[in-house]
Amino acid sequence: MYNQTSTMANKALILLAVFCLAQAALGVNIISKSQWGGRSATSKTSLGSYLSYAVIHHTAGNYCTTQAACQTQLRNIQAYHMDSLGWADIGYNFLIGGDGNVYEGRGWNVMGAHATNWNSKSIGISFLGNYNTDKITAAQTTAAKGLLSDAVSRGQIVSGYILYGHRQVSATECPGTNIWNEIRTWSNWKA
Ligand SMILES: [Zn+2]
């Protein structure tokens, strides 16, 4: 028996399912700065859209495997960047914990302080830990790739963006050997 109401309901359900799948594919869950107890920036410089670069870092500090431990690290790093270095905010646009979560740093469309001469041309993403010894997990890789896809979908970076490790643009060992070996396998990485 034909039932128009239930057919429409089915169509609505199918559309909802497609929408949710699209969101899951593109979106990434970001823990906001207020959620991790971060302080507001003392000033902000806007960052342009459709940038050509993303730069990957590590914090070279402690690794963390729980949200509570990662949030403590974030507050410590922010205090160091603001109180000791005198920066306006935590240096990076986003950070990724060993718990697989993405944490908001300066966020979208705010210029970071992460790579000299590259801050206005790139977004800076940093992994919490020292990856000369700490290992990057599959969950962290998924989170980073999801964040980069999100950055493309919202027009922060272009779809053909170039991915660099910090050591490619500055004299530093950052982002550590283990992340360096991982990101060189990602499709947007360039030698
Ligand atoms: Zn770095």
Side-chain angles (χ1 to χ4, degrees), residues 130-143:
N130 186 325
Y131 294 82
N132 287 317
T133 47
D134 294 319
K135 304 280 192 295
I136 183 171
T137 66
Q140 286 179 294
T141 297
T142 301

Side-chain angles (χ1 to χ4, degrees), residues 56-58 92 114 166 172 174-175:
I56 300 293
H57 303 265
H58 71 161
Y92 311 104
H114 59 91
H166 190 189
T172 173
C174 182

Side-chain angles (χ1 to χ4, degrees), residues 12 20 24 30 36 53 73 77 106 133-134 152 168-169 180 190:
C20 290
I30 297 172
W36 58 258
Y53 303 96
Q73 288 304 313
I77 293 163
R106 296 195 183 198
T133 47
D134 294 319
V152 170
Q168 291 176 275
V169 300
W180 173 241
K190 291 281 189 306

Side-chain angles (χ1 to χ4, degrees), residues 126-160:
S126 190
F127 289 84
L128 292 162
N130 186 325
Y131 294 82
N132 287 317
T133 47
D134 294 319
K135 304 280 192 295
I136 183 171
T137 66
Q140 286 179 294
T141 297
T142 301
K145 289 181 176 178
L147 180 65
L148 287 161
S149 295
D150 213 2
V152 170
S153 66
R154 62 176 56 241
Q156 176 72 87
I157 55 177
V158 295
S159 60

Side-chain angles (χ1 to χ4, degrees), residues 66-84:
T66 66
Q67 188 172 336
C70 291
Q71 292 185 170
T72 298
Q73 288 304 313
L74 287 158
R75 291 191 295 268
N76 290 343
I77 293 163
Q78 187 186 35
Y80 174 64
H81 286 180
M82 293 179 78
D83 302 335
S84 300

